[in-house]
Amino acid sequence: MQVVQNHQGGGYARKSMTNNKSTWGSAASGQVQNAAVITFAQASGDWASGANLGYWAIFDNSTGGNMIAYGTVTTPKPVLNGDTPSIAISACTITLT
Amino acid sequence: MATKFYLPSTGSTDIDPAWSASWYGTTEMSPSKLAAVTTKISSADATKTLTDADLTDRHYCAGMWVSARLAAQTIAAQTIGISIKCSEDNAKNNMFLHGIIRVVQIDGVTYRGTLLSFFEDNTEFPLTASRASRYYSATSSALVVYAGDRIVIELGPGGDPQTGGGSHNSDMIIGDNNGSDLDAADADTTGDPWVNFANTLTFYTAGTVNFECTGATASATPTLSKLDRTRSFALGGCAGTATPTILKLNRTRPFIFGGCSASSTAVISILTRAKQFVLGTCNATSSVVMTKIDRVAAIVASGCDAVSTAILDQLDIVAGGLKQFVFGGV
């Protein structure tokens, strides 16, 4: 999972997640949610120059790769130096299309 | 609970906000852009001196102090007080404390808004021999600020000197090592200068930032292979798909590949013994490649306008006997 803006620097790196039912649970009603907390590395600088982060995406590789899913965040907010971005269990909902 | 900023003489800030355009001059006093602190750092007193022979109404910046990052909040309208030691070298100088307090965004450049518009105190500076505080207070404007914003304080002297001895010659004392604060009043001779917000300001504290995400899957590159004896298979609605690839569909009864407009490359290969194969509605697909389609009873490719390259190769009509082949509308 990564920021769509493809932010570089500030300690940003895509977060690797195994795709199984422990991490994504079971699909229901055409949707799947994360079954584990998704925690990114602590920011060592401002991400996206301190701009609010409003979008997300999942790729099938740690760099480049194919976009598997994408969307928006409910409340855009910045990730500043020292912050630890996190997505709580069931806070990421993906509609299967 | 209030928030009091001290005005050290050392300690630069890591951003570079623009000086206010309200000043006549921002170089004459060699002003620095320093960090405003809420806990003293014991920087020595420094005298910021202005010297000129001008007799017009002008004001000069003596320094800028920038706060730590703020948390997102609404800074309510409130009393902001300022106390700083000043002096002039002649009673005809008519020098007064001036300043402006604004909020700059996280980029350190773009101003969010103004808390205290450019102001002029109404008590003239004392003479140099009796240098003392000048205290100014006013009600600020309310302002919504965002995480990472900072308060920017600019102070300096200004006035309209009289003829017959007047000039802008004056000074202000900055620093924070006096062990006490100047009074919230004029005429105090000992203490550190400060700017006080009547309310508590909340500063940004790094921590966990929780996001909620919603979205949908994206069909970047669907790849289907080795589907054996599927009774019915249809791939459609893949508009904008980069490279749909269908391989090794064995004995699929009807196979329908359609609705993949603007797919960059569609590859269909090794379809064996399909009852019927339909390729349709692939407008603007740049390349359609169909190879090794063996013993398919019927192939219908149509509705493929603007396909730049269509390749049909190795269609075995011998072993299985291709009964019908229609490739049209390309």
Side-chain angles (χ1 to χ4, degrees), chain B residues 114-250:
Chain B
T114 301
L115 296 171
L116 209 56
S117 298
F118 195 75
F119 65 84
E120 178 182 23
D121 188 26
N122 57 11
T123 303
E124 188 174 351
F125 286 0
L127 292 173
T128 306
S130 54
R131 182 186 291 120
S133 66
R134 283 296 175 260
Y135 175 70
Y136 174 83
S137 70
T139 301
S140 68
S141 299
L143 186 66
V144 176
V145 304
Y146 295 83
D149 287 357
R150 304 174 194 237
I151 290 171
V152 178
I153 301 164
E154 294 173 69
L155 299 174
D160 190 4
Q162 294 174 250
T163 57
S167 73
H168 289 106
N169 292 356
S170 56
D171 60 43
M172 301 176 74
I173 307 296
I174 61 175
D176 63 348
N177 69 340
N178 288 280
S180 63
D181 298 348
L182 291 168
D183 293 341
D186 295 332
D188 190 6
T189 58
T190 305
D192 295 322
W194 47 263
V195 174
N196 187 71
F197 285 67
N199 296 351
T200 300
L201 300 178
T202 306
F203 294 95
Y204 190 84
T205 303
T208 300
V209 180
N210 285 304
F211 288 94
E212 284 188 32
C213 309
T214 55
T217 51
S219 299
T221 306
T223 300
L224 305 162
S225 66
K226 298 181 180 177
L227 302 181
D228 189 17
R229 303 184 205 195
T230 303
R231 183 162 283 281
S232 176
F233 176 80
L235 175 67
C238 295
T241 299
T243 308
T245 303
I246 301 102
L247 298 170
K248 297 179 181 176
L249 304 183
N250 191 28

Side-chain angles (χ1 to χ4, degrees), chain B residues 67-80:
Chain B
S67 77
R69 287 177 163 180
L70 298 166
Q73 64 197 286
T74 298
I75 298 178
Q78 60 194 284
T79 299
I80 296 179

Side-chain angles (χ1 to χ4, degrees), chain B:
Chain B
M1 193 68 178
T3 299
K4 179 178 276 188
F5 291 107
Y6 295 100
L7 310 176
S9 59
T10 60
S12 60
T13 181
D14 58 351
I15 59 173
D16 187 23
W19 304 102
S20 169
S22 296
W23 299 107
Y24 174 81
T26 56
T27 60
E28 291 79 357
M29 299 182 76
S30 300
S32 297
K33 296 177 179 179
L34 302 165
V37 296
T38 54
T39 301
K40 293 183 181 182
I41 62 171
S42 297
S43 65
D45 278 358
T47 304
K48 304 299 290 184
T49 303
L50 172 63
T51 303
D52 76 2
D54 182 76
L55 293 175
T56 57
D57 189 2
R58 292 176 177 176
H59 23 262
Y60 300 87
C61 187
M64 173 190 287
W65 290 267
V66 180
S67 77
R69 287 177 163 180
L70 298 166
Q73 64 197 286
T74 298
I75 298 178
Q78 60 194 284
T79 299
I80 296 179
I82 302 163
S83 188
I84 187 168
K85 279 200 294 186
C86 319
S87 77
E88 60 185 12
D89 70 357
N90 191 306
K92 292 183 177 180
N93 289 2
N94 301 332
M95 298 299 283
F96 299 85
L97 175 63
H98 287 67
I100 183 170
I101 299 178
R102 296 179 289 172
V103 171
V104 70
Q105 297 180 22
I106 194 169
D107 63 5
V109 175
T110 310
Y111 278 100
R112 177 81 63 196
T114 301
L115 296 171
L116 209 56
S117 298
F118 195 75
F119 65 84
E120 178 182 23
D121 188 26
N122 57 11
T123 303
E124 188 174 351
F125 286 0
L127 292 173
T128 306
S130 54
R131 182 186 291 120
S133 66
R134 283 296 175 260
Y135 175 70
Y136 174 83
S137 70
T139 301
S140 68
S141 299
L143 186 66
V144 176
V145 304
Y146 295 83
D149 287 357
R150 304 174 194 237
I151 290 171
V152 178
I153 301 164
E154 294 173 69
L155 299 174
D160 190 4
Q162 294 174 250
T163 57
S167 73
H168 289 106
N169 292 356
S170 56
D171 60 43
M172 301 176 74
I173 307 296
I174 61 175
D176 63 348
N177 69 340
N178 288 280
S180 63
D181 298 348
L182 291 168
D183 293 341
D186 295 332
D188 190 6
T189 58
T190 305
D192 295 322
W194 47 263
V195 174
N196 187 71
F197 285 67
N199 296 351
T200 300
L201 300 178
T202 306
F203 294 95
Y204 190 84
T205 303
T208 300
V209 180
N210 285 304
F211 288 94
E212 284 188 32
C213 309
T214 55
T217 51
S219 299
T221 306
T223 300
L224 305 162
S225 66
K226 298 181 180 177
L227 302 181
D228 189 17
R229 303 184 205 195
T230 303
R231 183 162 283 281
S232 176
F233 176 80
L235 175 67
C238 295
T241 299
T243 308
T245 303
I246 301 102
L247 298 170
K248 297 179 181 176
L249 304 183
N250 191 28
R251 302 187 200 189
T252 301
R253 275 215 175 249
F255 174 73
I256 302 169
F257 179 70
C260 294
S261 300
S263 296
S264 59
T265 305
V267 179
I268 302 108
S269 181
I270 315 180
L271 303 179
T272 305
R273 302 187 197 186
K275 192 81 170 174
Q276 182 186 38
F277 174 73
V278 179
L279 173 68
T281 321
C282 292
N283 294 338
T285 298
S286 61
S287 177
V288 176
V289 180
M290 301 164 63
T291 62
K292 298 180 181 177
I293 298 175
D294 185 19
R295 282 173 268 186
V296 175
I299 294 177
V300 179
S302 61
C304 295
D305 297 333
V307 173
S308 61
T309 304
I311 300 172
L312 289 83
D313 188 21
Q314 299 180 40
L315 305 180
D316 187 346
I317 60 172
V318 178
L322 184 61
K323 293 174 181 170
Q324 183 186 20
F325 176 72
V326 180
F327 189 71
V330 178

